[in-house]
């Protein structure tokens, strides 16, 4: 609506859907929504397109693609093979023809598995990012949240701290604290401090124990520039993360080498005035093309974080979360979701319970685990450690297999015994 692109009536919206349903998929290969010459994300999408993978659906219209995705012919293997042949614009277009149950049933067919020290995305499993943020980056407060989350079964996706500051010193200090905890209690986990990617690279070069490298990304070159990144910098970060070889060794001797962690969110390009007249959901899907380039461990849409200016109420947040998850999975990404809202949005925790349950049914790889669902540093509402337990129990889901084994083992028992002695746990 802010971009001036929304239908003014329900009738107009349905008419637009009919028109969109008749557009041939091949049309999206011939007409860029953001000019090729002006945008490196467009160049990435066009230059990396896999024509052979696209061939089975090349003759389809958008409507025919929707029908095929919902059919029994769209098996898990065929969807995985198709992913490199789909552009983000195609994924976004077909999502606009789909109702909520369509977005769920199509996404539930797709499993995208990634691995570092844990394996995330397997069928029948749901992981959680343990998010122990603190408004002053106090290590003791952060440690308390980490222990709380681990004891409630969160942390198998990543233990990821959003720092209040963005210094190399703080980043390295927090990374060392988490790594010492991991080693002492033999926890199969990966850690991350969600500072700017340049800060993380500097911490890595200074000898900090960096596992995953994080960055927020968007769907246009100009929007990424507003985040202080471009594709070359992300490539540098990806290569730096691989040089450390900190991932676990698999049984077949391969290394868990998915080292990047990306966050996205509808509205980021529009808020930076970098949307080129394109709707925010299409640009969100284009951010997934950026992520796909680097074979990440984790991708999640922070779906309601930007505020009601971009997703007005609970219904829009629910819809956006399901769209994002579907589009990311369709494009071959290991998608999670920060089921969240800001306090000035027309939404509440009941809306988040609905989206959480729907995403669990749709096969989301992971969600957030925030103490009390209330992030005291970022000042927004998300999902809690208890919410992760709820959806696992109701839907019969388990944590990552390595983490499940740890929860039943000696390391977890020792952590429980020591949990009342945070100063000792921090290994100062």
């Amino acid at each position: 609506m802010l971009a001036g692109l929304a239908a003014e009536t329900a009738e107009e919206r349905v008419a637009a859907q009919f028109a969109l349903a008749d557009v041939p998929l091949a049309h999206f290969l011939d007409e860029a929504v953001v000019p090729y010459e002006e945008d490196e994300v467009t160049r990435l999408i066009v230059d990396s397109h896999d024509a052979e993978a696209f061939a089975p659906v090349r003759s389809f219209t958008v409507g025919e693609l929707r029908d095929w995705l919902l059919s029994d012919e769209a098996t898990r293997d065929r969807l995985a093979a198709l992913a490199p042949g789909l552009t983000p614009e195609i994924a976004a277009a077909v999502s606009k023809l789909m109702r909520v149950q369509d977005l769920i049933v199509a996404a539930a067919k797709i499993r995208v598995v990634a691995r570092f020290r844990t394996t995330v995305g397997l069928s029948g499993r749901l992981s959680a990012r343990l998010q122990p943020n603190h408004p002053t980056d106090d290590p003791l407060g952060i440690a308390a949240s980490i222990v709380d989350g681990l004891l409630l079964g969160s942390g198998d996706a990543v233990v990821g701290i959003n720092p209040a500051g963005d210094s190399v010193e703080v980043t390295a200090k927090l990374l060392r604290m988490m790594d010492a905890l991991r080693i002492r209690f033999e926890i199969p986990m990966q850690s991350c401090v969600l500072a700017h990617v340049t800060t993380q690279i500097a911490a890595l070069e200074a000898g900090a124990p960096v596992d995953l490298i994080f960055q927020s990304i968007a769907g246009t070159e100009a929007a990424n520039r507003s985040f202080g990144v471009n594709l070359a910098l992300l490539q540098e970060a990806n290569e730096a993360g691989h040089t450390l070889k900190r991932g676990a060794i698999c049984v077949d001797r391969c290394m868990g080498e998915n080292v990047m962690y990306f966050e996205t969110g509808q509205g980021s390009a529009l808020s930076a005035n970098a949307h080129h007249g394109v709707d925010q959901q299409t640009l969100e899907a284009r951010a997934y093309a950026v992520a796909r380039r680097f074979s990440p461990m984790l991708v999640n849409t922070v779906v309601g974080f930007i505020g009601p200016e971009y997703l007005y109420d609970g219904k829009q947040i629910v819809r956006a979360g399901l769209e994002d998850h579907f589009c990311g999975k369709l494009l071959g990404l290991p998608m999670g979701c920060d089921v969240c809202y800001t306090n000035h949005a027309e939404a509440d925790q009941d809306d988040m319970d609905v989206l959480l349950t729907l995403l669990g049914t749709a096969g989301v790889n992971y969600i957030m685990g925030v103490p009390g669902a209330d992030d005291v540093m970022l000042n927004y509402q998300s999902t809690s450690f208890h919410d992760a337990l709820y959806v696992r129990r109701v839907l019969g889901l388990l944590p990552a297999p390595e983490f499940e084994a740890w929860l039943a083992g000696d390391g977890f028992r020792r952590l429980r015994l020591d949990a009342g002695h945070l100063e000792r746990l921090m290994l100062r």
Side-chain angles (χ1 to χ4, degrees):
M1 292 176 70
L2 283 178
L5 299 168
E8 294 185 1
T9 65
E11 291 82 2
E12 185 180 347
R13 182 171 293 108
V14 171
Q17 287 177 311
F18 269 100
L20 179 60
D22 290 335
V23 175
L25 297 186
H27 173 78
F28 293 90
L29 305 182
D30 299 328
E31 182 175 314
V33 297
V34 182
Y36 182 94
E37 298 77 15
E38 299 177 17
D39 188 88
E40 67 173 2
V41 177
T42 299
R43 293 193 289 275
L44 171 66
I45 292 166
V46 173
D47 296 347
S48 63
H49 180 252
D50 188 330
E52 184 177 349
F54 181 62
V57 298
R58 184 177 181 85
S59 64
F60 286 9
T61 63
V62 177
E64 288 170 337
L65 177 61
R66 172 197 174 273
D67 292 344
W68 182 81
L69 290 171
L70 299 176
S71 74
D72 291 338
E73 293 182 12
T75 62
R76 181 174 301 178
D77 289 344
R78 286 177 177 173
L79 288 166
L82 177 63
L86 296 179
T87 70
E89 292 83 358
I90 290 174
V94 74
S95 75
K96 293 173 184 178
L97 303 183
M98 302 174 85
R99 57 191 289 189
V100 162
Q101 66 175 249
D102 297 343
L103 296 169
I104 293 171
V105 74
K109 298 181 182 185
I110 306 169
R111 306 306 307 189
V112 183
V113 178
R115 190 169 195 271
F116 194 77
R117 292 193 188 96
T118 61
T119 306
V120 176
L122 294 168
S123 295
R125 297 185 182 269
L126 173 70
S127 296
R129 169 192 163 188
L130 202 169
Q131 186 170 310
N133 298 344
H134 192 280
T136 63
D137 291 332
D138 176 58
L140 192 61
I142 290 171
S145 294
I146 292 175
V147 171
D148 186 25
L150 289 171
L151 293 178
L152 287 167
S154 284
D156 54 330
V158 64
V159 179
I161 304 167
N162 295 90
D166 193 56
S167 72
V168 174
E169 180 184 8
V170 169
T171 298
K173 181 179 182 180
L174 295 177
L175 285 168
R176 292 189 184 100
M177 183 264 284
M178 289 188 287
D179 204 49
L181 185 71
R182 175 186 70 85
I183 292 169
R184 177 170 181 174
F185 295 100
E186 303 175 286
I187 308 170
M189 72 180 214
Q190 39 278 338
S191 60
C192 183
V193 175
L194 284 70
H196 191 268
V197 65
T198 53
T199 304
Q200 295 168 82
I201 293 173
L204 181 153
E205 292 173 343
V210 175
D211 288 342
L212 303 187
I213 299 179
F214 164 83
Q215 182 55 46
S216 293
I217 56 173
T220 69
E221 179 180 347
N224 282 321
R225 190 183 307 122
S226 75
F227 290 147
V229 299
N230 55 33
L231 296 179
L233 179 57
L234 296 176
Q235 179 64 31
E236 178 187 348
N238 188 45
E239 292 173 357
H242 279 96
T243 62
L244 297 183
K245 299 187 182 299
R246 288 176 56 82
I249 301 294
C250 309
V251 292
D252 59 359
R253 307 308 295 170
C254 69
M255 181 72 70
E257 288 188 342
N258 301 113
V259 302
M260 299 300 289
Y261 173 17
F262 295 117
E263 286 188 346
T264 67
Q266 288 196 28
S268 58
L270 180 58
S271 68
N273 196 28
H275 62 294
H276 295 268
V278 180
D279 68 279
Q280 65 188 39
Q281 204 261 319
T282 298
L283 295 182
E284 172 72 6
R286 282 169 55 96
Y288 303 152
V290 176
R292 182 167 63 175
R293 167 67 179 81
F294 302 102
S295 301
M297 172 71 183
L298 306 170
V299 181
N300 72 269
T301 168
V302 193
V303 66
F305 182 74
I306 301 182
E309 298 83 5
Y310 303 93
L311 295 170
Y312 177 70
D313 57 14
K315 185 171 184 177
Q316 288 191 6
I317 292 171
V318 168
R319 172 77 194 188
L322 294 171
E323 287 173 346
D324 296 350
H325 176 254
F326 162 77
C327 289
K329 283 284 183 68
L330 189 62
L331 294 169
L333 286 177
M335 284 298 296
C337 183
D338 190 344
V339 179
C340 65
Y341 64 102
T342 58
N343 287 311
H344 65 308
E346 293 294 324
D348 58 29
Q349 212 65 32
D350 285 342
D351 296 311
M352 300 306 104
D353 285 348
V354 169
L355 178 54
L356 171 63
T357 306
L358 294 176
L359 284 168
T361 305
V364 71
N365 278 23
Y366 70 103
I367 59 167
M368 304 299 118
V370 178
D374 182 9
D375 193 303
V376 295
M377 196 282 284
L378 292 173
N379 292 310
Y380 78 119
Q381 309 303 309
S382 184
T383 47
S384 71
F385 308 137
H386 300 82
D387 293 331
L389 289 176
Y390 146 73
V391 76
R392 282 174 178 164
R393 288 173 178 172
V394 167
L395 298 179
L397 303 172
L398 297 169
E402 302 87 351
F403 201 78
E404 180 191 10
W406 176 77
L407 290 170
D410 183 61
F412 181 72
R413 285 192 293 270
R414 288 189 287 111
L415 178 64
R416 289 181 62 188
L417 291 173
D418 283 0
H421 306 282
L422 289 176
E423 291 87 350
R424 192 168 68 203
L425 286 177
M426 289 168 59
L427 304 178
R428 286 177 173 167

